[in-house]
Amino acid sequence: MTDKIKIAIIGGTGALGAGLALRWARAGHAVTIGSRDGARAKEIAGELSAKAGAEIAGLENAEAAAQGDIVAVTVPYASHAATLETIRPHLDGKILIDVTVPLMPPKVRTVQLPEGGSVAKAVQQILGENVRVVSAFQNVAAAHLADLDHAIDCDVLVCGNDPEARNQVVALATDAGMKAWHAGRIDNSAVAEALTSALIFINGQYKIPGAGIRITGDPAPAQS
């Protein structure tokens, strides 16, 4: 496990955020989930703590972001922009993990990337270089994350402009029971964001309960 990290999960009462909270708390990290409703965050945090066997705190989104050394945003695309503005004052100097997929109901099986190329790229441009934005976890089924007895058969693509920030997110993916890969600069987040719609289509077409991706091939040994 990596050293204990204070992680705030914005939108942590939703399925994806709650799944990440469970796995990071069980791995020994100090996890706080956020919600627009602080009381609901506390209620869900209590339920998640019992399931994880580790304490998870619950606060209103801005308060949660202030607590975290690393902040993960797991809200639906429709509320992403407003949520980002709420927590923005608390992100200076931090790593922001953006898990957002630009799904636009009812056509969630069709790729609909935003103007500019991707959600995460736009976030990096909005927040500036003093916030290290890393895109990850878009292609992992929330149901698999929530099942702590389930070995997650899905790799994670990690994109961001700062290699050390990517390293930290790769390590957090390992702590949560997943294999992660450096996948380039934040511009490449478009691949993971678009892939989610294709996976949703595959789930429906073949009745798969949470299709994922796997990177094939073995990395070359590190040079000494």
Side-chain angles (χ1 to χ4, degrees):
M1 188 195 109
T2 58
D3 293 338
K4 185 174 183 178
I5 299 171
K6 292 192 291 184
I7 306 172
I9 303 177
I10 308 307
T13 57
L16 182 58
L20 288 170
L22 285 170
R23 287 177 175 266
W24 282 332
R26 189 178 65 167
H29 296 295
V31 176
T32 301
I33 62 170
S35 172
R36 289 176 297 178
D37 182 341
R40 173 168 170 75
K42 288 182 174 63
E43 177 186 353
I44 299 300
E47 296 172 4
L48 295 176
S49 297
K51 185 173 182 179
E55 183 178 358
I56 296 172
L59 295 169
E60 184 272 333
N61 278 331
E63 294 174 330
Q67 293 289 319
D69 293 327
I70 292 179
V71 179
V73 177
T74 64
V75 299
Y77 183 56
S79 57
H80 181 266
T83 302
L84 192 65
E85 283 304 308
T86 298
I87 67 173
R88 186 173 181 174
H90 307 290
L91 300 178
D92 200 40
K94 298 180 180 181
I95 293 173
L96 178 74
I97 305 173
D98 203 304
V99 189
T100 309
V101 176
L103 298 178
M104 302 180 191
K107 297 182 179 181
V108 296
R109 298 183 178 196
T110 301
V111 175
Q112 300 181 77
L113 292 175
E115 184 177 353
S118 82
V119 175
K121 181 181 178 182
V123 170
Q124 183 66 85
Q125 291 173 340
I126 291 167
L127 297 179
E129 294 303 317
N130 204 36
V131 179
R132 294 176 290 168
V133 179
V134 178
S135 164
F137 304 111
Q138 290 93 344
N139 308 134
V140 184
H144 295 336
L145 287 171
D147 183 356
L148 295 178
D149 296 322
H150 180 89
I152 296 179
D153 189 26
C154 177
D155 287 358
V156 176
L157 302 180
V158 179
C159 303
N161 295 343
D162 185 291
E164 180 52 36
R166 293 201 310 262
N167 273 336
Q168 290 196 48
V169 176
V170 167
L172 285 175
T174 301
D175 289 346
M178 290 170 273
K179 171 67 177 176
W181 301 81
H182 289 266
R185 291 179 60 82
I186 202 68
D187 307 60
N188 290 358
S189 177
V191 174
E193 292 177 29
L195 187 57
T196 299
S197 289
L199 290 173
I200 292 171
F201 182 92
I202 290 169
N203 288 337
Q205 180 74 18
Y206 298 100
K207 311 305 179 189
I208 299 173
I213 62 168
R214 179 69 74 200
I215 303 302
T216 61
D218 297 317
Q223 299 294 319
S224 59

